[in-house]
Amino acid sequence: MGKKIIFLVLFLGHTVVYAQKLENNLKKHIKILASDSLQGRLTGTIGEEMASEYIQNQFKELNLSPLPNFNFIHNFSFTYNLNPHSNPTNTDTITGKNVVAFLDNGATNTFVIGGHYDHLGHNEYKLSRDTNSTGLIHNGADDNASGVSMVLELARNYSQNNTIEPVNFIFACFSGEELGLMGSKEISKIIKQKYPNTSLMVNFDMVGRMDSSNNLSIGGVGTSPSFASVLNKNKPKDMNTKLDSSGVGPSDHSSFYYQDIPVLFFFTGLHSDYHKPTDDTEKINLSKMGMIFSYTKSVIDSLAINPNLTFTPTKLKKETKTPSFKVTLGIFPDYIDYGDGLHIQDVIEGKIAQKNGLQKGDIITKIGNVEITDIYTYMEALSKLKKNKKYKTIYIRNGIRKTITIKL
């Protein structure tokens, strides 16, 4: 009995030390990537270049290699419409940098673990949610220094664990995500061509602000029949997972889905600092990031046992351009497609939704004459609304259908 107790004490002590080291490493990465010195990591800027150098150096320190016949840094260029909502003729040609490392385990199948490291800079392209923030640094600690830190620590774990996994790993940090998934569109094609047996892409985007209910959204669950059971089997008891079947969503996993690669997208949700200068390091919940790290690693390890994962197409979201709209309700929408309406993740204090009594958890099903089934039909409805007019709005609260009239 005494030996068992001693072993348990040593095991628990090792676990605590490991968890603390992990949190310290996550904090270090986020603090550096979200520092003012990187000026918001806008694609094509000095700040983005500094971030790419930091990521490259981390890969080198882990003795990882570039993809064969490539460097760690992959340059790509694209044309960006400066104001897509008004169809202007003026555009920028931008050169971005993906940072990609390879862990060759001599396996048949390859898994990709990725996240985007670019952000909004000083709001040069007017993508901030803060209307008075042009010229201010948008550090993007959660969006998406948090996701990159997870990629780097998984790279550390798999490259330093003295174990040869039954899959190869590609660790990819994308740029150009905020401007239209531009970096992942480029590298996903290369990976599909060079590694046709790539059978999983795991994407981390905004995983640093898990709420008090420990909610974690997971997209792409329907892109392989192997996913649902593995996700549920490995889920910690105190974590609430919200599963979305679609392989398409507002982040880089979509690029890999379109290459017929099964995808999983981990996301802890929007918050009041999203796309604002206030998305800073001190608001990151490191202990809960550690929980997500352990969960996702156990999922990856389980899937690697039988890595020849079958790709399953899922219901596609509408692929039309995001409609232009001049009005908003002042809500944080849930991007998961539940099929029964637009779920409100939270409401913004003092905005139209709160003033009219809408609450977190409500499900909007109709605005004016437009039926609302998901985030895309919600945006379609907004594009048809006009200021200073009243619109009948139908929503569901606790299973009860309610109707209000909202003036915009």
Side-chain angles (χ1 to χ4, degrees), residues 145-293:
S146 66
V148 174
S149 70
M150 298 286 271
V151 176
L152 293 177
E153 286 310 297
L154 283 166
R156 181 188 307 280
N157 187 287
Y158 285 119
S159 65
Q160 308 295 304
N161 62 2
N162 297 317
T163 301
I164 299 178
E165 275 78 23
V167 295
N168 310 313
F169 286 102
I170 294 174
F171 303 101
C173 297
F174 316 109
S175 191
E177 191 272 352
E178 301 287 6
L179 303 181
L181 315 185
M182 305 309 296
S184 60
K185 287 177 182 177
E186 185 79 14
I187 196 64
S188 63
K189 296 174 185 177
I190 294 173
I191 290 174
K192 182 66 174 180
Q193 179 183 14
K194 301 293 184 181
Y195 299 92
N197 290 327
T198 298
S199 54
L200 173 66
M201 189 277 168
V202 176
N203 180 35
F204 296 99
D205 193 350
M206 296 180 66
V207 289
R209 299 280 291 270
M210 181 179 273
D211 61 23
S212 58
S213 298
N214 293 339
N215 289 314
L216 177 66
S217 296
I218 307 174
V221 179
T223 62
S224 176
S226 302
F227 285 162
S229 61
V230 170
L231 289 165
N232 289 324
K233 180 180 178 181
N234 288 280
K235 183 180 74 69
K237 291 181 180 179
D238 54 352
M239 180 183 288
N240 298 309
T241 54
K242 299 191 291 183
L243 306 184
D244 183 13
S245 64
S246 178
V248 179
S251 192
D252 292 298
H253 60 287
S254 299
S255 300
F256 289 82
Y257 171 85
Y258 287 124
Q259 298 299 322
D260 295 341
I261 296 171
V263 298
L264 288 173
F265 168 39
F266 294 92
F267 172 61
T268 54
L270 299 177
H271 45 75
S272 60
D273 298 304
Y274 168 67
H275 274 201
K276 289 184 178 180
T278 49
D279 181 8
D280 287 322
T281 304
E282 63 271 13
K283 297 177 182 179
I284 298 295
N285 192 318
L286 293 167
S287 63
K288 292 189 177 183
M289 281 192 68
M291 182 196 308
I292 297 168
F293 178 93

Side-chain angles (χ1 to χ4, degrees), residues 107-111 165-169 197-200 224-227 229-230 233-234 262 298-311:
T108 300
N109 293 90
T110 298
F111 285 1
E165 275 78 23
V167 295
N168 310 313
F169 286 102
N197 290 327
T198 298
S199 54
L200 173 66
S224 176
S226 302
F227 285 162
S229 61
V230 170
K233 180 180 178 181
N234 288 280
S298 67
V299 168
I300 294 168
D301 290 344
S302 296
L303 293 171
I305 296 172
N306 296 296
N308 191 23
L309 304 172
T310 301
F311 173 75

Side-chain angles (χ1 to χ4, degrees), residues 17-130:
V17 170
Y18 176 81
Q20 188 59 59
K21 185 176 181 180
L22 172 64
E23 287 183 26
N24 289 341
N25 287 340
L26 294 170
K27 182 178 181 179
K28 179 190 75 170
H29 299 315
I30 295 171
K31 188 174 182 180
I32 290 172
L33 291 170
S35 66
D36 284 352
S37 62
L38 268 63
Q39 299 291 303
R41 309 187 307 278
L42 182 67
T43 304
T45 65
I46 295 296
E48 180 220 27
E49 183 175 353
M50 293 170 65
S52 70
E53 288 292 335
Y54 174 76
I55 296 166
Q56 176 183 230
N57 289 336
Q58 291 298 303
F59 288 152
K60 288 180 177 179
E61 287 180 12
L62 297 174
N63 294 317
L64 293 168
S65 302
L67 293 179
N69 302 316
F70 287 91
N71 297 316
F72 282 109
I73 293 179
H74 298 225
N75 292 319
F76 63 95
S77 296
F78 61 98
T79 300
Y80 183 69
N81 189 328
L82 299 180
N83 188 354
H85 292 320
S86 60
N87 298 315
T89 57
N90 59 318
T91 59
D92 271 356
T93 298
I94 301 170
T95 297
K97 300 176 183 294
N98 291 323
V99 193
V100 185
F102 185 50
L103 177 58
D104 188 355
N105 287 322
T108 300
N109 293 90
T110 298
F111 285 1
V112 180
I113 300 175
H116 79 90
Y117 73 91
D118 66 299
H119 197 51
L120 305 187
H122 295 80
N123 194 29
E124 288 88 339
Y125 294 126
K126 311 302 181 187
L127 298 175
S128 177
R129 290 185 54 256
D130 187 334

Side-chain angles (χ1 to χ4, degrees), residues 348-361:
I348 301 174
E349 185 176 353
K351 299 297 184 179
I352 292 172
Q354 188 198 49
K355 289 180 178 179
N356 285 273
L358 290 172
Q359 300 175 8
K360 176 180 179 180

